[in-house]
Amino acid sequence: MESGIFREHLQLLLLNILESGPQSGLQIIQQVQERTGGFFDLRMGHLYPVLHELEQDQQVLGEFRATSRGGALVKYYALTPRGSHEVQARKSELEQLTRTLPFLLR
């Protein structure tokens, strides 16, 4: 898959995951594995640059929180109102494309 297309799909997947609430990078990776049946074998080195882009675009907000594991700080990512709007708009586009594809592939 072309890297630009992969990145767009990954952004949408991350935004969709964050709709359920703030999550750490590790939690996000686990969700990606679960939701894609392992199709996306996401590594930290791929995740954080995309999360950083989403932060720069103000679709995601990252903040450090102390954990119950000795008070270590872990960065949690949450969807912003802009990110929520973006995920809804892109979901609609994908749903329309999904309905149209069978007709295009005949």
Side-chain angles (χ1 to χ4, degrees), residues 4-96:
I5 294 171
F6 172 79
R7 193 172 215 85
E8 285 183 28
H9 290 306
L10 182 55
Q11 286 177 348
L12 179 57
L13 179 58
L14 297 180
L15 293 173
N16 192 42
I17 286 170
L18 291 174
E19 275 190 306
S20 63
Q23 296 189 44
S24 68
L26 182 58
Q27 290 172 318
I28 293 169
I29 285 177
Q30 291 169 340
Q31 284 290 315
V32 168
Q33 288 287 324
E34 220 174 271
R35 291 184 185 203
T36 67
F39 180 78
F40 284 127
D41 185 20
L42 191 58
R43 306 276 185 221
M44 294 286 188
H46 293 112
L47 173 66
Y48 288 110
V50 175
L51 284 171
H52 182 71
E53 287 174 12
L54 292 170
E55 277 186 291
Q56 293 291 89
D57 198 33
Q58 299 179 347
Q59 295 183 53
V60 168
L61 176 65
E63 70 177 8
F64 286 96
R65 298 181 185 174
T67 65
S68 58
R69 299 171 295 183
L73 292 179
V74 174
K75 193 167 187 179
Y76 280 79
Y77 298 88
L79 208 56
T80 64
R82 181 176 180 165
S84 183
H85 174 67
E86 181 70 17
V87 74
Q88 292 307 316
R90 289 174 71 184
K91 272 186 188 179
S92 295
E93 290 172 15
L94 280 177
E95 287 168 357
Q96 184 176 10

